[in-house]
Amino acid sequence: MEFGGLGAEFGEMNEPHGLAMDSQGRLFVADRYNDRVQIFTQDGEFINSWRQFGRPSGVYIDNNDILYVGDSESNSGGTRNPGWDRGIRIGSAKTGWVTAFIPDPNKTTRFNVAEGVTVDDEGNVYGAEVEVGGLKKYIPRGTAPRRR
């Protein structure tokens, strides 16, 4: 199945860069060059478009419908979402409210922070950093790392 098409209207995309599904089976698409997350049914019907998560490269939704969006390009030159900070935005896949932000820890490179993002069962957030070729682990405040 195929849906969408190249463009900036609702339901169209420009460089879809990540996919995730919530508990309702809705498909979340990181529509990177349009600076938004778009939401669709599994049949490709457009539901909504959210810009509050920045310029998304990666998306992940946990079992509690918490949405994690890696924004590796905002404010990195040209028309790349000027005025926004790069980092990982965390919020609700149900309401779209952004509740937390992990800022880019190293603003000296052009695309440093997470392009890919995931979370483990302990709430640790992992960002896959393409330009530096690394993986960064973010531990929630107030928690101590477990010894294995």
Side-chain angles (χ1 to χ4, degrees), residues 55-67:
R55 185 178 179 95
S57 291
V59 292
Y60 177 80
I61 301 173
D62 71 12
N63 292 333
N64 298 310
D65 281 331
I66 304 299
L67 173 62

Side-chain angles (χ1 to χ4, degrees), residues 21-89:
M21 247 184 227
D22 70 2
S23 66
Q24 299 174 48
R26 300 180 303 166
L27 179 64
F28 288 65
V29 179
D31 184 10
R32 184 160 77 176
Y33 279 20
N34 287 323
D35 304 326
R36 65 188 178 189
V37 173
Q38 292 202 78
I39 307 167
F40 298 90
T41 67
Q42 290 182 39
D43 294 323
E45 180 183 329
F46 173 80
I47 297 172
N48 209 340
S49 177
W50 292 345
R51 294 189 175 276
Q52 63 270 33
F53 287 90
R55 185 178 179 95
S57 291
V59 292
Y60 177 80
I61 301 173
D62 71 12
N63 292 333
N64 298 310
D65 281 331
I66 304 299
L67 173 62
Y68 300 81
V69 178
D71 175 352
S72 64
E73 290 193 355
S74 277
N75 213 23
S76 62
T79 60
R80 291 191 174 116
N81 214 16
W84 286 71
D85 289 329
R86 295 180 298 183
I88 299 171
R89 289 178 179 80

Side-chain angles (χ1 to χ4, degrees), residues 9-22:
E9 299 297 320
F10 292 142
E12 296 176 337
M13 292 166 260
N14 191 349
E15 194 170 309
H17 209 266
L19 303 170
M21 247 184 227
D22 70 2

Side-chain angles (χ1 to χ4, degrees), residues 117-139:
V117 62
T118 193
V119 180
D120 66 21
D121 290 340
E122 296 173 8
N124 300 305
V125 178
Y126 297 86
E129 299 175 345
V130 173
E131 187 169 301
V132 297
L135 180 69
K136 193 160 278 156
K137 178 180 179 179
Y138 301 93
I139 301 168

